[in-house]
Amino acid sequence: MKRYISVFFCVIGALILFASCGKKALIDEYGCFVNYEDALTNAQKKKQPLVVIFTSQGDDEKSNQIISDILKNSDFATDILKNYSVCHADFSQNVFGKTVTDENASSAETKQSNIYTQVIQNNYQLAMLFNIAEMPAVFLCTKEGYVVAPINLDMVTLAELKALLEDNAGLVEEYNAMVAATNKGSASEKVEAIDTLYNATLDEYRVFLLPLAKKIPDIDKKNQSGLCGKYIVEVAEGEALSAYSRGDVETAVKKYLEAADNEFVNNEGKQECFYTAAYLVAYSGSDDYEGILFYLKTAYEFAPQSDKAAAIQQAIDYFGLIVENAE
């Protein structure tokens, strides 16, 4: 597989919008949006870069420093909030406390509790999308939410954060130009622009580009760019992993098989689809070893000289023995 199993749970949010938390945007005590969609909407409205900050206040010293030295700084509003749309996803006990109400709570209090419950659910999903390994973490994104760069958290002062964001201003402009190019020119030019943006983005953050990649087969119906196959497989992977994370192995496998059946997908792409289908079935704990073996053999036959062929042959040998012993 091209991505680790943990990404299964990350793809969901890239293919569907985060659930709404209400009509009015929630702002925390530092002036940051607490819901990603609100911050994203604001970024697009004001044409500002998006900054996403993850903290776990009270649980680690670094998060406490980020909040104390940056978010609580009296100049945070003028130095950061004025120039960036900021989403602050905090996983502190304080935020969790807002989801709890007692039996005598009013309808307004219950409604507010439900909203914060949704906020936390959204932010957990967001943390998985950003592939967060530890708190705190800061990311600089375009106004569309495409990740430009993770921000080095060796800094703990507002001045240092401001400087780091400004140092990346040129890169943001480059990304903005690449994003703008996806809406200009012929079908092939638009597809190539999406491909350029995709290749410029670090692999772990390409999940945010899947909705854009999903448009490619519709933009370039005749595959004049020669890139449709690549993104048909990419989108199939996203949809399959989303289904798999819900426990729907059958739909996950179906997505890969549909992609493999597409005329624009080359033999190595078809191999990837069948190999991953076999992997999903096996990883799910299924004892359909003959089915797994069929997918593996089909994958191998599509591209016996590929870099992955040797590994596939080893898997064929392994499951072949299982089938033989079962007989």
Side-chain angles (χ1 to χ4, degrees):
M1 292 187 67
K2 287 183 286 182
R3 297 184 175 89
Y4 293 107
I5 270 302
S6 62
V7 164
F8 287 174
F9 302 96
C10 300
V11 180
I12 308 168
L15 299 177
I16 58 175
L17 292 176
F18 290 97
S20 173
C21 293
K23 294 181 180 179
K24 186 177 181 180
L26 291 177
I27 305 292
D28 66 14
E29 59 266 45
Y30 317 114
C32 306
F33 292 99
V34 299
N35 192 50
Y36 176 78
E37 282 300 315
D38 292 331
L40 194 61
T41 298
N42 183 68
Q44 292 170 2
K45 179 180 178 181
K46 295 184 177 180
K47 293 182 171 52
Q48 293 178 328
L50 173 69
V51 173
V52 184
I53 303 174
F54 292 92
T55 59
S56 185
Q57 185 178 8
D59 292 331
D60 70 87
E61 186 58 34
K62 197 77 171 184
S63 285
N64 293 340
Q65 286 183 304
I66 293 293
I67 291 171
S68 175
D69 297 343
I70 296 177
L71 300 185
K72 287 184 177 180
N73 191 303
S74 59
D75 292 327
F76 180 65
T78 53
D79 288 354
I80 305 298
L81 295 180
K82 182 180 178 181
N83 302 305
Y84 304 89
S85 182
V86 182
C87 174
H88 177 211
D90 186 43
F91 296 90
S92 68
Q93 188 57 45
N94 176 54
V95 175
F96 281 100
K98 295 178 181 180
T99 69
V100 180
T101 57
D102 59 39
E103 59 183 14
N104 298 318
S106 66
S107 59
E109 289 172 332
T110 300
K111 181 179 179 181
Q112 190 74 352
S113 171
N114 291 338
I115 288 174
Y116 270 96
T117 297
Q118 186 64 67
V119 165
I120 288 176
Q121 291 174 348
N122 285 354
N123 286 342
Y124 267 119
Q125 184 185 74
L126 188 66
M128 288 187 289
L129 279 168
F130 275 98
N131 198 27
I132 300 297
E134 60 182 3
M135 301 285 185
V138 179
F139 297 88
L140 176 62
C141 311
T142 68
K143 64 182 184 297
E144 295 82 10
Y146 307 143
V147 179
V148 174
I151 299 300
N152 188 336
L153 281 180
D154 287 339
M155 55 79 198
V156 291
T157 69
L158 177 63
E160 289 169 317
L161 174 60
K162 180 182 178 183
L164 284 168
L165 292 174
E166 290 176 348
D167 287 345
N168 281 284
L171 189 57
V172 171
E173 289 305 312
E174 290 179 18
Y175 266 74
N176 287 340
M178 286 188 285
V179 173
T182 65
N183 294 309
K184 297 178 181 178
S186 65
S188 292
E189 288 171 333
K190 290 178 181 176
V191 172
E192 288 169 3
I194 293 173
D195 188 56
T196 297
L197 177 61
Y198 191 88
N199 291 331
T201 302
L202 293 174
D203 182 67
E204 56 264 45
Y205 309 124
R206 288 175 180 172
V207 63
F208 289 96
L209 296 170
L210 284 179
L212 191 60
K214 197 172 184 178
K215 298 178 180 179
I216 287 178
D218 291 328
I219 295 173
D220 189 12
K221 297 182 184 299
K222 296 183 179 181
N223 194 30
Q224 293 178 332
S225 66
L227 292 168
C228 282
K230 172 183 176 179
Y231 288 101
I232 286 169
V233 173
E234 288 289 334
V235 171
E237 181 177 64
E239 293 177 338
L241 300 184
S242 177
Y244 190 91
S245 72
R246 301 191 303 269
D248 189 352
V249 180
E250 182 179 351
T251 296
V253 170
K254 182 180 178 181
K255 293 295 182 181
Y256 277 111
L257 301 186
E258 288 175 348
D261 193 47
N262 191 287
E263 63 178 314
F264 298 140
V265 176
N266 63 23
N267 284 347
E268 289 197 3
K270 294 177 189 293
Q271 181 179 80
E272 178 71 31
C273 288
F274 273 93
Y275 177 58
T276 310
Y279 186 97
L280 292 183
V281 176
Y283 197 88
S284 71
S286 171
D287 58 1
D288 181 14
Y289 301 120
E290 290 187 359
I292 295 170
L293 192 57
F294 170 77
Y295 291 144
L296 289 170
K297 287 181 176 180
T298 304
Y300 184 85
E301 289 168 2
F302 271 119
Q305 303 302 319
S306 73
D307 293 339
K308 192 168 288 185
I312 295 173
Q313 184 60 60
Q314 288 181 345
I316 290 172
D317 294 340
Y318 174 78
F319 284 102
L321 286 174
I322 293 177
V323 171
E324 286 180 15
N325 292 334
E327 294 174 348

